């Protein structure tokens, strides 16, 4: 039963981290293609990037700020997906092995 619960938690962690990464990547696309910043979806993606991808803000600062933000946001998205996957795999490994049924 504990193995099943940890498996579910691992799946939830992987999905949530992947969704955060996807929205941050969407922000990178919006920045690169100069989407309307007043649009609700663009504002939402920017907010998610600021809240969850702050650790790569201004990491790279090329001459073109649009390219810099695109790279920095894409890197934050990649970090979220990789860390989520690693945490998920760790949780699955921590799950106790199922017992063989005595017959």
């Amino acid at each position: 039963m504990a193995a099943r619960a940890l498996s579910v938690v691992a799946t939830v962690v992987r999905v949530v981290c992947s969704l955060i990464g996807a929205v941050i990547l969407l922000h990178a696309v919006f920045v690169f293609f100069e989407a309307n910043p007043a649009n609700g979806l663009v504002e939402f993606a920017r907010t998610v990037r600021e809240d969850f991808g702050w650790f790569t803000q201004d990491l790279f600062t090329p001459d073109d700020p649009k390219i810099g933000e695109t790279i920095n946001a894409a890197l934050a998205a990649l970090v979220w997906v990789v860390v989520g996957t690693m945490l998920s795999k760790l949780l699955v490994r921590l799950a106790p092995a199922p017992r063989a049924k005595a017959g």
Side-chain angles (χ1 to χ4, degrees):
M1 190 64 166
R4 177 76 181 135
L6 277 176
S7 177
V8 169
V9 170
T11 299
V12 169
V13 166
R14 189 175 61 250
V15 168
V16 168
C17 289
S18 295
L19 286 174
I20 291 170
V23 174
I24 293 173
L25 186 60
L26 185 61
H27 167 75
V29 170
F30 287 156
V31 168
F32 186 76
F33 290 108
E34 300 177 2
N36 176 7
N39 179 280
L41 182 58
V42 176
E43 286 181 23
F44 173 73
R46 180 186 47 78
T47 301
V48 171
R49 194 278 194 260
E50 289 172 355
D51 291 346
F52 295 100
W54 54 266
F55 54 90
T56 62
Q57 211 129 20
D58 298 326
L59 183 63
F60 296 104
T61 55
D63 292 335
D64 186 349
K66 178 176 82 170
I67 298 297
E69 177 54 19
T70 301
I71 291 168
N72 292 331
L75 183 58
L78 179 65
V79 168
W80 273 98
V81 171
V82 169
V83 169
T85 300
M86 289 172 50
L87 283 174
S88 176
K89 288 182 179 186
L90 178 65
L91 287 169
V92 168
R93 285 184 183 224
L94 291 176
R99 295 181 191 174
K101 292 186 179 181

